[in-house]
Amino acid sequence: MRQCHEVPSRRRVPRTKITVPRPPADFVSRPRLLTALDGTGEAAMVFVGAPAGFGKTVLLAEWARRRDGGTVAWLSADTDDNDDRLFWSAVLEALGRCGRIPGGNPLRRLAVPEVPSTDLAFLAQVADALDALPEPVVLVLDSAQEITSPGPWHGLRTLVRHQPAGLCLAVASRREPPLPLGRARLADRLAEVGAARLRFTAEEANTLLATAGPAIPRDQIAELVARTGGWPAGLRLAAASAARHGSLRDFVSGRDGAVLGYLTDEVLAALTPAQRELLRTISICDEVPTGLAPVLSGRTDAESMLRELGEPATQLIDSTGTPPHHRVLPMLRTYLRADLHRRAPDRARSLHAKAAGWFAEHDRPAQALLHSVRSGRPARVGELLREHAVTLFLAGEHHVLRVALTLLEDRRIAADPPAALIAAGLYLEAAETSAAGLQLARAEASWPDRPSPELTVLRQLTCSWLAQLDHSAAHAARVAAEVDEELAAGAGLGGLATLHRAGVLIGRDEREPAREALLRVLGTAEQVHQDFTVAQCLTLLAELACHDGDYRAMETLARRAGARLPRQDPPRSLQGAQAGALLAYGALLSGEPAECLLQAKRVGQLLGDAPARAARELRLFAETLRGAAEFELGGWHAGLRRMRRARTRLGAGRACPPGHAALCAVLEQRAALRLGAAAQSRETVRWALPVLAGSGELLLMRARTQLRLGRHHAASSVLRSLAEGEAPMELAWAGIEASLIGVQAALAAGARDRAARLLDEALRAAEPTGVRFPFVFAPPELIGFLTSRLGGLGTGERFAGEILAVRRRLRTPPMPAPLTERERSVLRLLPTQRSIDEIAEDLTVSPNTVKTHVRGIYAKLDVRSRREAVTIAQERGLLDAEVADFTV
């Protein structure tokens, strides 16, 4: 039998042209897209269309490799295929490599005429040969945009019109090919995968970027996906840049020459010179409203050019709204802007000045201020600050204000009192109270003889905010009382004054007046787009919901607050940290420790090492939640150690708010008892006693201790005192925990009816608030009892099912058997050089008793030697730091 390449009158075709490409080194399988391609019928058309770098070839190559090897013919198109005879020679050679085509099929020996696409007899022979196949084959035409001659497309249209049953044509192209796709869509015979579906999801990006190792931290991936728009080539370029430079710094700043080279060769080269110049010109703006592009470029046709650049074939411009606002894709914009500033800095400054003027004329002060800074015009920056600083601060444009104030500082221009007070406010939002105090002092040093009402109120509010963050509640209340609310209302700062008063009311536990005031301010602030004021209101309302035990509302309000907070660079935000801490708290109560851990870490990032008292308390509150989450995820010793460290850094219990102290004590004592750390449990209770004396949480911890000691009757007695309501609870959910302790005590006493009643009460109390935490992480005997009650829980049935589903999903490993107090005493002496006899003498017990305890330690730590025991104990945090410094 003669092979395809031996057939006379065919043009010679390189083997690589008709071979399925190999996967790249950083290949990521995309099952969701393969499923979409597999869903098409055998006799259908497939179109994978997107601009450069979207992974069209990689996707079709994976799809081809997954199919039976003899069913796919592959053709990588290039400009040579504009030669009609060469194109059809390649098609037949590719088909001839399919094992599914029998040896006697005409496709293997068919000659190619001089003008095949207009030779109807030739095309009919190809169609008949395909129709004769016992099973269909797939012809993949990759990089089809390279074929610009009408001839090959005319022949393909003719072939497709015959609809040979043995052919599925799959085309990958940067633009829609001149084929009857509309007819195929109408007949439901077309499978399409466009740019939107080809963009990488966060999960796919995680897989791809794992190849960059630690150079791309996991917490930066979501931002990177947003920056690249999920563009596969962009993500691959980011990974390569991080691998070359050890971080994403050069990639993000637009300084990576290799990335710029790719964008120039693969993305910009396909554009006209006018289009490239327009993109470079408008790259100075993050957003280009309608009307600005003609001003910047001097072209009257700029708007129509932007519309062309937003078409599917290029997708370099994203346009939204009516009238539209245009945005160059973020990654491309970064590199174009950096290249412009590098090559033509004077022109860049001139463009920024034009943009600043346009934005000022159209009443967009934030953009006008930002572009004035970038144009290097400090005098104009000062003018805009004097006119708009307060408005921009309330609107949450803090990043722009910081940039502007930094320029004035760099130019050594003396800040006037309004600018200094705004700078103080920015420092207070970052909880940098020392720096805020310095700015306040600067304002007072140049204080005018006759200050305006706005300036007077700004100073009062700054002093009040500073007092709330760095002083006692009583002192903060006194300072807040000095704010002239009537004067503030007249100066347009009434909302901020009310916020300060609401903060004082919350500190006095006057919740309803505070809530009413906050709701009034919130409504007004939303109407006038004061995002920062809105975020403050929502955060305080979330705190009130937390006090009330409405944890679902707390999470909703905290999320809304986080969405309205200003962008920070670097990311320092007290308001963001407060919202994040509430979200961490809500996640823990919902039985989602991984989400709690994520949010608690973010709180630490937002606060940094800010010195304010409020920041320290919030940081340690988040650390307690983080420790509790780590504990429930199986890091028992590390989590318990983190909670203890947070508590001790708070100092005496009376030094922190009662609710905070209650949460720290309840979570830490619970974990300590579960792990058998009785000494730490006692230490926690002693710490909390001064501030929680007479509280329900103290009784709750006492009942837990009695239950742990096996005294279930004593535990039940303590809980009865709690149920009578004589001791108020700081934590609304603590009553649910108390009911579950009662269930355990009743089960230990054999009183299953009482246990069932208490379980029903706990479920009824927990379901409206979504509190799953005490159930999800309950001991096995309680979970077993809950499971046995399924089918008889009435209205609590659905919630019980949710609890069990969450518990199954978490798959927390079983907790190790706790060390006894005596075993812990022996363990603390193992890192020293003392012998068994010397340890026995220190502990006033016999050597045999020490040996028994050592065997118990080895068994529980799953080790076989003293050295291993010390190592594992250090890893789990079972040894104090000063003891762990010794070596065996």
Side-chain angles (χ1 to χ4, degrees):
M1 181 182 70
R2 294 170 62 185
Q3 298 298 317
C4 309
H5 62 269
E6 297 173 338
V7 177
S9 72
R10 288 190 189 178
R11 297 285 298 274
R12 185 175 179 81
V13 179
R15 182 175 293 272
T16 54
K17 185 180 178 69
I18 53 176
T19 301
V20 178
R22 294 180 179 179
D26 57 357
F27 171 70
V28 175
S29 180
R30 311 183 72 185
R32 64 183 179 88
L33 299 180
L34 296 172
T35 301
L37 295 177
D38 287 336
T40 183
E42 289 288 354
M45 291 177 63
V46 174
F47 176 50
V48 180
F54 272 85
K56 302 180 293 295
T57 300
V58 174
L59 173 64
L60 283 178
E62 182 186 8
W63 185 51
R65 287 192 299 270
R66 278 166 46 101
R67 299 175 70 88
D68 180 356
T71 65
V72 177
W74 184 279
L75 173 55
S76 297
D78 53 41
T79 54
D80 289 344
D81 290 299
N82 288 297
D83 181 325
D84 195 26
R85 194 154 173 262
L86 176 61
F87 170 74
W88 282 102
S89 296
V91 168
L92 293 179
E93 288 285 344
L95 289 170
R97 289 170 62 89
C98 288
R100 185 171 286 186
I101 296 180
N105 189 284
L107 292 171
R108 292 190 175 275
R109 60 179 184 276
L110 194 61
V112 179
E114 286 298 321
V115 190
S117 287
T118 57
D119 191 322
L120 297 182
F122 166 74
L123 295 174
Q125 286 179 298
V126 174
D128 290 344
L130 288 168
D131 258 332
L133 294 178
E135 295 179 85
V137 296
V138 177
L139 172 61
V140 176
L141 180 58
D142 188 35
S143 300
Q145 74 279 348
E146 299 294 334
I147 305 176
T148 56
S149 172
W153 290 117
H154 175 77
L156 275 178
R157 280 197 303 275
T158 303
L159 181 64
V160 171
R161 192 181 308 122
H162 287 302
Q163 297 184 355
L167 176 67
C168 171
L169 178 62
V171 178
S173 177
R174 296 182 184 180
R175 62 184 66 89
E176 190 165 302
L179 292 172
L181 300 185
R183 185 189 310 166
R185 288 190 189 101
L186 190 62
D188 198 24
R189 298 185 63 249
L190 178 67
E192 288 185 271
V193 176
R197 296 173 76 178
L198 285 166
R199 297 181 190 277
F200 269 42
T201 63
E203 182 179 353
E204 290 167 341
N206 264 298
T207 303
L208 173 67
L209 298 175
T211 59
I216 302 181
R218 299 302 91 187
D219 59 359
Q220 292 184 16
I221 290 180
E223 181 183 348
L224 190 56
V225 172
R227 179 180 292 275
T228 60
W231 183 38
L235 291 167
R236 287 190 163 91
L237 289 167
S241 178
R244 284 193 301 273
H245 303 291
S247 74
L248 284 171
R249 187 166 49 251
D250 284 2
F251 176 82
V252 170
S253 63
R255 294 198 302 264
D256 192 310
V259 177
L260 178 61
Y262 179 89
L263 294 174
T264 302
D265 296 341
E266 297 295 331
V267 177
L268 299 175
L271 306 180
T272 66
Q275 288 174 324
R276 288 197 294 271
E277 182 58 27
L278 178 61
L279 286 176
R280 185 174 289 106
T281 298
I282 66 171
S283 70
I284 64 159
C285 297
D286 294 340
E287 180 181 273
V288 185
T290 297
L292 176 56
V295 172
L296 293 177
S297 65
R299 298 184 64 98
T300 57
D301 61 346
E303 293 291 340
S304 61
M305 289 177 66
L306 290 177
R307 285 193 293 273
E308 291 174 6
L309 290 167
E311 291 176 354
T314 52
Q315 294 195 3
L316 299 180
I317 294 289
D318 178 30
S319 300
T320 56
T322 305
H325 286 58
H326 311 292
R327 297 177 185 85
V328 182
L329 296 183
M331 177 181 161
L332 178 61
R333 181 177 68 235
T334 297
Y335 277 85
L336 288 173
R337 180 185 297 171
D339 190 51
L340 177 65
H341 279 270
R342 184 170 53 251
R343 292 172 179 267
D346 290 340
R347 180 165 182 256
R349 285 191 290 271
S350 173
L351 289 171
H352 281 300
K354 284 184 180 180
W358 189 92
F359 280 118
E361 290 174 7
H362 289 79
D363 195 25
R364 300 185 67 169
Q367 290 84 351
L369 181 57
L370 183 61
H371 286 286
S372 293
V373 170
R374 292 173 175 169
S375 69
R377 301 169 64 194
R380 180 57 177 154
V381 169
E383 293 173 7
L384 289 170
L385 278 176
R386 283 189 287 276
E387 187 176 355
H388 299 292
V390 173
T391 302
L392 293 175
F393 184 83
L394 296 178
E397 298 288 355
H398 293 187
H399 172 67
V400 176
L401 289 171
R402 282 194 177 89
V403 169
L405 290 167
T406 300
L407 174 68
L408 298 185
E409 289 281 352
D410 291 344
R411 299 297 177 92
R412 297 183 179 179
I413 297 173
D416 52 8
L421 291 174
I422 290 297
L426 294 172
Y427 280 122
L428 289 173
E429 163 55 7
E432 296 283 353
T433 47
S434 299
L438 289 174
Q439 291 293 337
L440 180 59
R442 288 183 66 186
E444 292 175 338
S446 55
W447 198 254
D449 294 332
R450 302 180 65 180
S452 67
E454 180 185 76
L455 191 59
T456 300
V457 174
L458 271 179
R459 180 183 178 279
Q460 293 173 347
L461 290 172
T462 302
C463 292
S464 175
W465 196 359
L466 182 60
Q468 287 186 20
L469 296 186
D470 228 11
H471 298 281
S472 66
H475 178 74
R478 287 195 300 272
V479 177
E482 296 174 3
V483 177
D484 189 329
E485 294 193 40
E486 185 176 341
L487 189 64
L493 294 167
L496 274 188
T498 303
L499 273 173
H500 282 253
R501 182 166 58 85
V504 172
L505 291 174
I506 292 173
R508 293 173 179 169
D509 206 24
E510 298 177 30
R511 300 179 195 171
E512 282 312 308
R515 196 188 323 272
E516 291 173 6
L518 288 170
L519 289 172
R520 285 198 305 272
V521 175
L522 176 63
T524 303
E526 286 183 323
Q527 289 176 359
V528 295
H529 307 293
Q530 293 181 349
D531 280 6
F532 182 62
T533 306
V534 169
Q536 285 186 303
C537 287
L538 291 170
T539 302
L540 290 174
L541 287 169
E543 289 181 5
L544 287 173
C546 177
H547 289 310
D548 296 339
D550 191 350
Y551 299 114
R552 295 186 194 274
M554 175 192 77
E555 287 195 86
T556 299
L557 290 164
R559 289 191 191 283
R560 287 177 59 194
R564 302 297 285 267
L565 283 166
R567 180 173 69 88
Q568 306 291 338
D569 189 18
R572 294 287 183 265
S573 170
L574 181 64
Q575 293 292 326
Q578 288 171 331
L582 293 172
L583 289 174
Y585 189 22
L588 184 69
L589 293 181
S590 298
E592 301 290 348
E595 177 64 17
C596 174
L597 195 63
L598 186 69
Q599 293 290 351
K601 287 180 179 178
R602 183 170 172 270
V603 170
Q605 294 167 354
L606 289 170
L607 290 174
D609 56 357
R613 174 194 55 79
R616 291 196 303 271
E617 289 180 359
L618 190 58
R619 192 159 44 233
L620 295 172
F621 176 79
E623 279 292 284
T624 297
L625 292 171
R626 183 175 173 181
E630 287 176 341
F631 184 91
E632 302 302 351
L633 288 168
W636 304 289
H637 300 289
L640 187 58
R641 185 170 64 250
R642 187 181 295 278
M643 284 188 274
R644 183 179 187 275
R645 187 165 59 242
R647 171 176 53 79
T648 54
R649 286 179 180 175
L650 274 172
R654 65 175 74 255
C656 68
H660 188 166
L663 182 70
C664 289
V666 166
L667 291 178
E668 185 182 353
Q669 193 240 12
R670 177 181 181 276
L673 286 178
R674 288 180 65 195
L675 207 54
Q680 186 169 341
S681 170
R682 290 192 295 271
E683 176 189 319
T684 304
V685 175
R686 283 197 300 270
W687 173 84
L689 188 58
V691 71
L692 296 182
S695 72
E697 281 78 12
L698 209 58
L699 292 177
L700 170 65
M701 290 188 286
R702 190 176 301 160
R704 271 197 198 134
T705 303
Q706 296 297 326
L707 186 63
R708 184 68 182 182
L709 294 171
R711 302 169 185 168
H712 51 265
H713 292 298
S716 296
S717 177
V718 174
L719 290 171
R720 278 195 295 274
S721 300
L722 187 58
E724 291 168 1
E726 298 176 358
M729 290 279 199
E730 290 289 340
L731 307 174
W733 63 271
I736 300 167
E737 174 85 352
S739 295
L740 294 184
I741 293 172
V743 173
Q744 296 174 67
L747 290 174
R752 293 181 67 83
D753 289 343
R754 178 156 56 91
R757 177 175 54 79
L758 290 170
L759 180 62
D760 290 346
E761 288 177 4
L763 288 170
R764 282 197 300 273
E767 183 172 16
T769 60
V771 174
R772 303 192 191 100
F773 172 73
F775 299 91
V776 171
F777 303 109
E781 62 270 18
L782 195 150
I783 294 298
F785 183 63
L786 174 63
T787 304
S788 71
R789 294 268 300 145
L790 290 176
L793 292 172
T795 56
E797 194 77 31
R798 183 184 62 81
F799 190 60
E802 290 179 10
I803 290 165
L804 295 174
V806 171
R807 187 178 172 93
R808 285 192 299 271
R809 176 167 49 80
L810 287 172
R811 296 180 181 175
T812 303
M815 184 172 291
L819 299 178
T820 65
E821 282 300 302
R822 183 59 76 180
E823 286 170 342
R824 286 174 176 270
S825 299
V826 172
L827 177 62
R828 279 192 286 270
L829 295 174
L830 289 185
T832 69
Q833 299 295 333
R834 291 178 176 85
S835 66
I836 292 294
D837 290 340
E838 290 171 330
I839 291 175
E841 184 177 348
D842 283 351
L843 298 177
T844 64
V845 296
S846 71
N848 285 337
T849 300
V850 173
K851 290 177 181 177
T852 299
H853 291 322
V854 169
R855 285 195 296 271
I857 292 170
Y858 287 4
K860 291 176 180 179
L861 298 184
D862 192 24
V863 297
R864 296 183 179 181
S865 70
R866 185 170 178 169
R867 183 178 296 277
E868 283 184 306
V870 172
T871 301
I872 295 298
Q874 287 174 337
E875 291 175 357
R876 295 185 180 179
L878 296 173
L879 291 172
D880 295 333
E882 61 270 17
V883 175
D885 285 338
F886 290 98
T887 56
V888 177

